[in-house]
Amino acid sequence: MTMIDKIKKYGKLRNMNIKQVALKAGLSENAIYGWKNHKPAKPTVESVARVLGVSYSDLTGETETSEPKQIDLKATIDDDDVIMTYDGKPIPAEDLALIKRLMRGE
């Protein structure tokens, strides 16, 4: 479900159409429709979320974390149940072996 679909859904629950949501958020009436072609700024999405009484992540699906996620690369790379990928493609075993050697300083 796209962000616009979510805005429509939450707006309908509050008896508002998408144009009314935009106006109450301080946007032009067709601003939200323009999000089909470009990603809106976070403060803009937050203002729409406030109008709808939902969170930013409810609209975007993004989770907000206050600190970066830490991963133990050594444990992960040695775990046979984890498929290591780069750019969506699995990293070949020989490349993983090279990465391990580089991490150990060999």
Side-chain angles (χ1 to χ4, degrees), residues 14-61:
R14 287 152 184 84
N15 296 316
M16 288 188 280
N17 64 38
I18 203 162
K19 289 183 178 184
Q20 292 169 318
V21 171
L23 291 172
K24 285 188 179 197
L27 306 172
S28 68
E29 66 178 28
N30 292 314
I32 295 173
Y33 289 112
W35 297 355
K36 291 179 182 179
N37 301 319
H38 73 279
K39 184 177 178 179
K42 185 175 180 177
T44 305
V45 177
E46 288 172 336
S47 67
V48 170
R50 275 191 298 278
V51 167
L52 295 171
V54 298
S55 69
Y56 173 82
S57 61
D58 288 333
L59 295 181
T60 63

Side-chain angles (χ1 to χ4, degrees), residues 65 67-71:
T65 56
E67 48 186 83
K69 182 178 178 181
Q70 292 186 1
I71 299 172

Side-chain angles (χ1 to χ4, degrees), residues 48-87:
V48 170
R50 275 191 298 278
V51 167
L52 295 171
V54 298
S55 69
Y56 173 82
S57 61
D58 288 333
L59 295 181
T60 63
E62 297 175 14
T63 55
E64 298 185 64
T65 56
S66 57
E67 48 186 83
K69 182 178 178 181
Q70 292 186 1
I71 299 172
D72 182 351
L73 191 54
K74 182 182 182 320
T76 304
I77 209 166
D78 289 335
D79 187 347
D80 292 333
D81 292 329
V82 175
I83 298 173
M84 301 291 289
T85 64
Y86 181 80
D87 200 22

